[in-house]
Amino acid sequence: MKYKILALLAILCLGCGESEKKVKSDMDNTPDQVRLMTLDPGHFHAALVQKTMYKGVDSTIYVFAPKGPEVNDFLNKIESYNTRSENPTHWKVDSYFGPDYLEKMIAQKPGNVMVVAGKNSKKIDYILAAVKAGLNVYADKPLVINPEGFQKLEEAFMIAEEKGVMIYDIMTERFEVTTGMQRQFSMLPEVFGQVLEGSLEEPAIIKESVHHFFKYVSGQPLVRPAWFFDVNEEGEGIVDVTTHLVDLVQWELFPEEIINRTDIEMVQAKRWPTVLTLEEFQRVTGLETYPDYLQKDLDGDKLKVYCNGEMLYKIKGKYAKVSVIWNYEAPEGTGDTHYSIMRGTKSDLIIKQGAEENYKPTLYIKSKVGENFDNLMTGAIDQHINSMFAGTKAEKVSEDMWKINIPDEFKIGHEAHFAQVTQNYLRYLEEGQLPNWEVPNMITKYYTTIEAYKMAKK
């Protein structure tokens, strides 16, 4: 289904002021514009989609949800975006609250795109109902958290194709600038060479991330719902955050190539818990006691959450390692961190985010080819990198290591990446199709995480 978007979607967002108000008024009564319906917003990512206004998108958000603190938090965030002093948004909210929220959305269909970010256990059923009703889907990861959900996902993609609608998951990490630049350098044979096959001990690519239960979002302490700590609702770590990392492995190793499940061979997978005290649980949820559904995960008065996971697998013959770790809270001055390495015949591309980098993701390139590498680096940056990331420079920090200094203007942060992903999705709606590799690669991505989950649970 093709929607007519009124303006070039390459512009990331609308500013405030008279020009924005004029565009908004022009959009309000256009029958073919994109109209967003937010279903059961149980995760703050649902609100981050609305942190920006978009051309071609109706300014009314239709919200269908059960009553409760989660939808209240969503509405409060929308109000804060509307009332902020710098570039305020102008969303209007049309809400329905009740236990039959899904049925009401399907029956009324005031919009043509369902946005969903919340309980992962319910997400695939929401997606399946939406595509059966001829609705497009824009969903936070992960779309599925268990083998039964994966079977429904395959069905959902089949129905979406029949109905001419799109399912798209929100892969923000593709827009993190050091990751994007790692990918670009890997596509330059004069610098990177060819990706190695790797081994169990030294995979061709590694993606590791460390996350924290207690953090700040939009300047405020994040209050997590208690169900976030229930792996039956949120999913284990090996099928949750790893979704981003598996996606990046595919996206970087085989840019714009179709990857099928037959290209995946799971080698090893494991899982382990993070243990929270009652005091820590209280601080991050605001609750005094553990709810009944978490009693199954208690060891005395401590909560065991199986949010950590690691998988080692082969993708088109290349060894890949993905791991995710959850701690309670980052040390002061730090935050979530990411580590990655891509091993090539001429160099290794390494992303670090430790104390030496002031906890900011930083790309390093380690040469394997000797003296001429200085000239190769200079030529690559001048001819290729600066056309996309103007002002980028390479700083030699040791005999064989270069630090890539990226201008701050490209380091826009996790929350801003939601606008970038949304712009991509809107462009695909305008064009009437996704890139030919996106759907098969989404299916393979979730096949990979579910295979790791099955192996780790044995």
Side-chain angles (χ1 to χ4, degrees):
M1 184 179 292
K2 185 171 182 179
Y3 297 97
K4 299 174 183 176
I5 306 299
L6 294 178
L8 293 174
L9 290 169
I11 302 173
L12 279 182
C13 63
L14 296 174
C16 57
E18 293 305 315
S19 61
E20 192 276 337
K21 292 176 184 176
K22 180 179 185 303
V23 172
K24 184 167 70 69
S25 65
D26 288 344
M27 294 190 302
D28 282 344
N29 296 311
T30 304
D32 288 336
Q33 70 189 129
V34 172
R35 299 179 304 281
L36 302 177
M37 302 179 302
T38 300
L39 184 71
D40 190 14
H43 194 287
F44 70 94
H45 286 177
L48 290 180
V49 171
Q50 262 84 43
K51 197 175 181 181
T52 298
M53 300 296 293
Y54 309 95
K55 287 184 177 180
V57 176
D58 192 292
S59 57
T60 298
I61 309 165
Y62 299 92
V63 180
F64 295 86
K67 292 180 180 179
E70 294 161 19
V71 71
N72 291 340
D73 181 68
F74 170 82
L75 295 173
N76 288 337
K77 282 185 169 60
I78 299 302
E79 178 63 18
S80 72
Y81 302 152
N82 281 344
T83 57
R84 67 192 178 205
S85 58
E86 185 177 349
N87 291 336
T89 53
H90 304 278
W91 298 111
K92 299 186 290 287
V93 179
D94 186 324
S95 300
Y96 172 81
F97 303 124
D100 59 342
Y101 57 92
L102 175 61
E103 292 80 5
K104 283 288 186 183
M105 185 195 74
I106 297 300
Q108 296 179 5
K109 289 201 290 190
N112 45 36
V113 175
M114 180 187 74
V115 180
V116 61
K119 286 187 177 180
N120 294 327
S121 62
K122 296 183 176 181
K123 198 176 294 174
I124 186 57
D125 292 323
Y126 293 161
I127 292 169
L128 198 50
V131 295
K132 286 179 178 178
L135 294 168
N136 296 283
V137 173
Y138 188 48
D140 193 34
K141 64 81 197 155
L143 304 189
V144 297
I145 61 173
N146 53 46
E148 296 76 22
F150 180 71
Q151 292 179 349
K152 292 180 181 179
L153 183 66
E154 292 182 293
E155 180 186 359
F157 274 114
M158 291 177 59
I159 295 170
E161 184 175 7
E162 293 169 1
K163 298 277 189 177
V165 294
M166 296 180 192
I167 301 170
Y168 196 62
D169 57 356
I170 304 174
M171 292 289 100
T172 51
E173 294 307 303
R174 295 183 189 178
F175 291 88
E176 199 285 313
V177 67
T178 54
T179 297
M181 197 168 291
Q182 184 184 47
R183 182 179 188 252
Q184 289 302 311
F185 273 110
S186 75
M187 297 166 68
L188 302 177
E190 64 271 29
V191 171
F192 183 65
Q194 301 297 321
V195 67
L196 298 174
E197 179 180 326
S199 64
L200 287 171
E201 295 75 22
E202 291 191 342
I205 187 169
I206 295 174
K207 295 283 180 184
E208 298 176 348
S209 64
V210 179
H211 297 261
H212 302 88
F213 289 123
F214 185 84
K215 62 167 65 174
Y216 288 85
V217 174
S218 299
Q220 299 296 321
L222 176 62
V223 177
R224 296 189 187 272
W227 60 257
F228 185 83
F229 300 91
D230 184 356
V231 294
N232 292 336
E233 297 288 355
E234 176 66 14
E236 296 202 6
I238 204 166
V239 295
D240 183 15
V241 176
T242 57
T243 307
H244 278 304
L245 306 182
V246 171
D247 181 78
L248 293 179
V249 166
Q250 297 179 171
W251 187 70
E252 291 191 61
L253 278 185
F254 304 101
E256 299 184 7
E257 290 185 30
I258 292 175
I259 303 168
N260 298 308
R261 70 185 70 191
T262 53
D263 295 319
I264 304 299
E265 178 189 344
M266 193 57 56
V267 179
Q268 297 174 356
K270 62 180 180 179
R271 57 196 275 273
W272 65 97
T274 293
V275 180
L276 299 180
T277 66
L278 178 58
E279 182 182 4
E280 290 170 337
F281 179 81
Q282 291 170 337
R283 185 179 178 215
V284 77
T285 64
L287 301 178
E288 290 299 316
T289 60
Y290 297 116
D292 290 342
Y293 57 80
L294 288 179
Q295 296 297 316
K296 66 184 188 307
D297 301 318
L298 292 181
D299 183 2
D301 65 346
K302 294 183 177 179
L303 181 66
K304 297 173 69 174
V305 187
Y306 276 87
C307 50
N308 308 294
E310 180 178 289
M311 67 184 83
L312 183 66
Y313 62 104
K314 295 180 76 172
I315 173 171
K316 290 193 173 185
K318 311 293 185 183
Y319 280 91
K321 179 183 176 184
V322 162
S323 62
V324 60
I325 296 170
W326 280 84
N327 297 322
Y328 169 64
E329 182 179 9
E332 186 174 352
T334 72
D336 294 353
T337 61
H338 177 70
Y339 170 80
S340 175
I341 183 170
M342 293 184 72
R343 305 182 198 274
T345 54
K346 292 185 178 180
S347 67
D348 291 340
L349 311 176
I350 308 165
I351 297 174
K352 297 181 182 179
Q353 196 176 350
E356 187 177 342
E357 293 76 33
N358 293 318
Y359 299 99
K360 305 294 183 183
T362 304
L363 177 63
Y364 297 89
I365 299 182
K366 184 174 183 180
S367 168
K368 300 177 179 178
V369 297
E371 296 179 0
N372 193 43
F373 203 75
D374 283 293
N375 294 332
L376 294 174
M377 283 289 297
T378 300
I381 289 176
D382 290 345
Q383 296 172 34
H384 302 286
I385 301 302
N386 274 325
S387 63
M388 301 180 65
F389 306 101
T392 298
K393 299 183 182 301
E395 173 190 353
K396 193 169 186 178
V397 294
S398 69
E399 183 177 348
D400 61 352
M401 186 83 77
W402 282 257
K403 176 183 176 182
I404 305 302
N405 293 319
I406 304 168
D408 287 343
E409 65 190 271
F410 298 109
K411 302 173 184 177
I412 65 174
H414 173 65
E415 293 187 20
H417 295 324
F418 282 82
Q420 293 176 304
V421 182
T422 303
Q423 288 292 346
N424 256 8
Y425 182 62
L426 294 173
R427 176 165 55 86
Y428 298 146
L429 287 175
E430 180 191 25
E431 295 170 351
Q433 62 182 0
L434 291 166
N436 70 338
W437 50 272
E438 278 282 17
V439 169
N441 289 13
M442 272 190 275
I443 294 172
T444 298
K445 171 172 57 187
Y446 290 105
Y447 171 81
T448 301
T449 59
I450 295 303
E451 287 298 297
Y453 169 82
K454 287 158 57 177
M455 181 175 287
K457 291 272 285 184
K458 286 182 179 178

